[in-house]
Amino acid sequence: MNIVEETPQDASPQALPNYRRRKWLTLAAVLAVVGLSGVVDLFFEEDRSYEIAATLLVNVIVAGGISLWCHFDAAERGYVTGRLLRVMIILLAVIAFPVYAFRTRGLSGFGLIGGGALFFVAIFVVYTIARYVTIRMMGFPDPFFGPES
């Protein structure tokens, strides 16, 4: 079932879902999970099986977040995404997200792709900051500046 089909055409603006808010909450949730991952990773740094499982889990959450964001964005714009595109956004976002951007926005999709690139930079920044703050607060060996003086 599609969100676009679930909202009646004659609904008042107050009754329609706030997709913009949902999109921002989705991005915030993804960043929160990435930040938490940066903290938890320090406690299991020596365990290779944890590293593989945690990396896979975080990647699935990030891909799911991108897909959910696209779902809310499409609903906000009244665009219906096909099944193949939804699956491809999860499995291969590097290709499918630009396709989605250009289908929903035309040439102004370049702006959305730029915003997506900034979001991925934010993911790395949040992970690094969370990891660094945890290192400093918990007294882990500091890979950035060496032992404390």
Side-chain angles (χ1 to χ4, degrees):
M1 184 134 77
N2 197 329
I3 285 184
V4 176
E5 296 168 358
E6 293 174 5
T7 55
Q9 296 297 334
D10 59 341
S12 67
Q14 293 82 13
L16 292 175
N18 187 346
Y19 292 114
R20 184 171 302 242
R21 183 169 189 268
R22 290 179 183 184
K23 291 188 309 186
W24 281 108
L25 288 174
T26 300
L27 297 179
V30 167
L31 289 177
V33 167
V34 167
L36 183 62
S37 171
V39 171
V40 173
D41 284 355
L42 285 168
F43 293 95
F44 299 99
E45 212 165 31
E46 303 297 320
D47 186 356
R48 181 76 175 135
S49 61
Y50 165 80
E51 182 181 348
I52 293 168
T55 301
L56 181 63
L57 179 63
V58 170
N59 286 337
V60 166
I61 291 170
V62 169
I66 293 168
S67 177
L68 189 59
W69 186 93
C70 288
H71 180 74
F72 291 144
D73 185 66
E76 180 180 47
R77 296 176 171 282
Y79 181 80
V80 179
T81 55
R83 263 193 195 132
L84 179 62
L85 184 57
R86 286 191 302 242
V87 170
M88 290 305 295
I89 288 171
I90 292 172
L91 297 178
L92 202 57
V94 172
I95 295 172
F97 185 73
V99 168
Y100 171 79
F102 289 122
R103 280 192 178 173
T104 57
R105 289 168 173 76
L107 285 179
S108 61
F110 281 114
L112 181 59
I113 293 169
L118 288 176
F119 182 68
F120 276 99
V121 169
I123 285 174
F124 292 111
V125 169
V126 166
Y127 180 86
T128 302
I129 289 172
R131 191 170 170 88
Y132 180 73
V133 167
T134 304
I135 286 170
R136 300 305 278 177
M137 290 179 68
M138 301 296 291
F140 286 104
D142 190 343
F144 299 105
F145 302 108
E148 288 188 45
S149 314

